[in-house]
Amino acid sequence: MKYVKPALLGAAVVGTAAAAARRNRSAAGREDDASRWLTVTVNRDEADVMPGGTLPEPLDRLAGGLEARVRPAPGDRGTELAVRLKDTPPAAAVSPLGRLAGRDPRQEVRTALREAKALLEAGEVMRPDSPPTTRETPAGKLIGLVTRRSGGEGVL
């Protein structure tokens, strides 16, 4: 395994954060993220996804602040479950610093939607082994941070 200097890792993190900030500034003219639907396709019947009009467990605890819709997925491939926030989150919460600090309410919605899909299809939410290594290293700390935050952002 090749040793990577901590300074190089720091430079990579700063560069990634700068690119994300530029992307957010360029997206300012687009539709507000709070009004966008977050959608997953669940390999279950519509009656199983939202029985009696009740959202699946992880989403049910957020139901007061969400709009939800369920419809058949294209090509008869299960059911589409879509949710979005009713209210626009504060600008400070959706800023890059707010997202890094975990204060963006959209992250909680994304995580709950992903967990709902897992529970409906597999009956459990799979988690990575913890700790992934027995020795804490700078690169391991960085990977742990990115892994913890990726669930709220939807990407690693």
Side-chain angles (χ1 to χ4, degrees):
M1 180 174 215
K2 194 173 185 180
Y3 174 75
V4 178
K5 292 182 181 180
L8 292 176
L9 285 176
V13 170
V14 170
T16 302
R22 277 194 305 272
R23 185 184 71 216
N24 285 341
R25 279 196 303 269
S26 68
R30 292 189 300 205
E31 178 185 11
D32 188 278
D33 280 347
S35 63
R36 289 178 39 200
W37 289 93
L38 301 170
T39 307
V40 294
T41 300
V42 182
N43 192 18
R44 299 291 299 262
D45 292 329
E46 195 172 326
D48 296 336
V49 172
M50 214 165 148
T54 304
L55 287 168
E57 172 46 40
L59 291 168
D60 192 40
R61 66 177 183 254
L62 305 172
L66 297 177
E67 292 180 58
R69 68 179 182 206
V70 176
R71 63 182 181 194
D76 196 29
R77 296 179 187 236
T79 303
E80 278 189 356
L81 172 60
V83 295
R84 70 177 173 183
L85 291 169
K86 287 181 182 176
D87 300 323
T88 304
V94 297
S95 71
L97 290 176
R99 287 199 327 264
L100 283 173
R103 293 188 307 246
D104 187 347
R106 298 171 302 175
Q107 292 174 326
E108 188 176 5
V109 174
R110 287 182 190 109
T111 300
L113 189 60
R114 188 175 296 110
E115 289 176 359
K117 175 182 171 71
L119 286 170
L120 287 167
E121 291 183 344
E124 66 179 310
V125 178
M126 299 298 289
R127 304 271 185 224
D129 291 338
S130 186
T133 65
T134 57
R135 210 168 42 114
E136 195 66 32
T137 63
K141 287 181 182 180
L142 179 63
I143 290 171
L145 173 71
V146 170
T147 303
R148 284 191 301 277
R149 293 289 181 222
S150 67
E153 290 297 325
V155 295
L156 180 60

